[in-house]
């Protein structure tokens, strides 16, 4: 799957998440959602490396770890689309910056 396909999917599903809220309220909700998803991803990483309490370890799986990572990506791209940002463009721009930074000889 390409980022453009993912962005298009999110554009089609974004109105479902809109409700009767203003753009400011929707942006705030999406920021909170990203925070929630990052917390769930962090929890899965802690379990993967046995840094979580043993009585919680049964909640971990590699599949759930992947699901949580996908949730972070979806939520972040959804926020970008709410803000009318072109995800392909901003990722390409950042990749160029990172290439220049890390691929210098």
């Amino acid at each position: 799957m390409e980022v453009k396909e993912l962005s298009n999917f999110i554009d089609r599903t974004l109105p479902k998440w809109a409700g009767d809220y203003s753009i400011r309220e929707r942006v705030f909700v999406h920021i909170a959602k990203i925070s929630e998803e990052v917390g769930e991803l962090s929890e899965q990483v802690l379990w993967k490396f046995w840094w979580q309490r043993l009585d919680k370890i049964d909640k971990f799986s590699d599949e759930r770890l992947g699901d949580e990572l996908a949730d972070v990506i979806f939520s972040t791209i959804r926020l970008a689309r709410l803000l009318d940002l072109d995800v392909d463009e901003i990722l390409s721009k950042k990749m160029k910056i990172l290439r220049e930074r890390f691929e210098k000889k």
Side-chain angles (χ1 to χ4, degrees), residues 42-53:
S42 298
E43 190 174 46
Q44 288 296 309
V45 169
L46 288 173
W47 285 329
K48 181 165 182 73
F49 294 102
W50 297 83
W51 295 329
Q52 189 61 279
R53 291 190 337 246

Side-chain angles (χ1 to χ4, degrees), residues 30-42:
H30 278 76
I31 289 291
K33 184 66 176 167
I34 290 169
S35 296
E36 173 196 7
E37 299 299 352
V38 167
E40 292 172 358
L41 175 61
S42 298

